[in-house]
Amino acid sequence: MHSAPASDDVYLKPSVQTAVKLLIVGHFAVGKTTYVGTLSEIRPLRTEEVMTEAGALVDDLAGIQDKTTTTVALDFGRLTLNDRLVLYLFGTPGQQRFTRLWQDMTRGALGALVLADTRRLSQSFEVMGVLEEHGLPYAVAVNQFPGAAAHRLDEVREALDLLPETPLVRCDARDRVSSTRALISLVEYLLNRTGHLEHA
Ligand SMILES: Nc1nc2c(ncn2[C@@H]2O[C@H](COP(=O)(O)OP(=O)(O)OP(=O)(O)O)[C@@H](O)[C@H]2O)c(=O)[nH]1
Ligand SMILES: [Mg+2]
């Protein structure tokens, strides 16, 4: 694992042989931009815009009153997982009106990490539906917010109607260790499914 702070090490190691595109997806305000920022070893590219009063009618900010901006195109970050494997992380916008837009981002992606919030689990269905439509394998990470009930993972699995093999983990999008662990569960899942990254 690469432990350098963000914005150091701009250049890829010469030993890197495999580059993988992964999506970080989830409904509005679930923590996607935070997550990409936590893990990226380069300064992440962000496309945040201030939310307007008009948006208050459509954007449900219950429980996240501090949030003032939203992603309007994408987040982009990079994580060198080991000497040979680099992950390019593409965070999607969460507002529903951008759903069509981010479907294009599935092109060339090997898989996705779905961030979920137990206070609004039902909002994850649309996102998972889009991934399934595009045949993109995914893992789910519950981004644990303070004040959100800590449901057992088997209950979350049932509520989200996940397949038994779909990885389901808990993370805090602000915390590097748990966020890395979540990404590794996705990468291991992709490895086991395809064997594509066998030698990475
Ligand atoms: N307590 C807590 N707050 C978090 C966590 N992750 C994100 N936040 C906060 O939740 C809010 C939403 O985070 P963002 O990273 O902007 O969410 P997003 O999914 O990118 O949002 P959109 O792009 O608008 O869909 C911000 O105020 C974050 O500081 C977390 O793990 N725990
Ligand atoms: Mg965002």
Side-chain angles (χ1 to χ4, degrees), residues 29-34 47-48 67 69-72 74-75 91-94:
V30 74
K32 303 173 293 294
T33 299
T34 306
T47 58
E48 294 293 288
K67 187 171 164 68
T69 64
T70 189
T71 305
V72 294
L74 82 168
D75 305 301
T92 59

Side-chain angles (χ1 to χ4, degrees), residues 42-189:
I42 53 172
R43 188 182 312 169
L45 169 74
R46 287 183 176 157
T47 58
E48 294 293 288
E49 292 291 345
V50 174
M51 291 185 286
T52 61
E53 285 294 312
L57 295 172
V58 284
D59 301 330
D60 179 7
L61 280 170
I64 36 160
Q65 283 80 1
D66 295 346
K67 187 171 164 68
T68 55
T69 64
T70 189
T71 305
V72 294
L74 82 168
D75 305 301
F76 175 74
R78 191 189 80 195
L79 177 64
T80 306
L81 206 59
N82 62 36
D83 275 357
R84 286 162 296 168
L85 176 63
V86 65
L87 307 178
Y88 287 107
L89 306 179
F90 289 73
T92 59
Q95 290 182 317
Q96 276 189 324
R97 59 197 160 103
F98 294 126
T99 304
R100 293 280 301 270
L101 183 149
W102 74 256
Q103 298 199 27
D104 288 345
M105 286 164 65
T106 58
R107 261 184 244 145
L110 219 60
L113 184 69
V114 179
L115 294 184
D117 177 349
T118 51
R119 296 169 302 178
R120 31 178 108 198
L121 275 186
S122 62
Q123 292 182 27
S124 298
F125 284 112
E126 186 188 355
V127 171
M128 294 191 299
V130 170
L131 297 174
E132 284 163 18
E133 252 172 58
H134 288 81
L136 206 62
Y138 60 87
V140 179
V142 172
N143 188 18
Q144 192 67 44
F145 286 84
H151 296 286
R152 292 204 328 257
L153 285 181
D154 58 334
E155 291 170 344
V156 175
R157 177 177 293 282
E158 197 179 327
L160 288 177
D161 199 18
L162 300 181
L163 294 173
E165 63 266 28
T166 302
L168 174 64
V169 296
R170 231 184 268 283
C171 75
D172 180 331
R174 301 162 303 176
D175 167 58
R176 201 176 167 86
V177 173
S178 64
S179 295
T180 305
R181 213 176 288 140
L183 206 58
I184 288 174
S185 71
L186 170 64
V187 171
E188 283 177 347
Y189 176 56

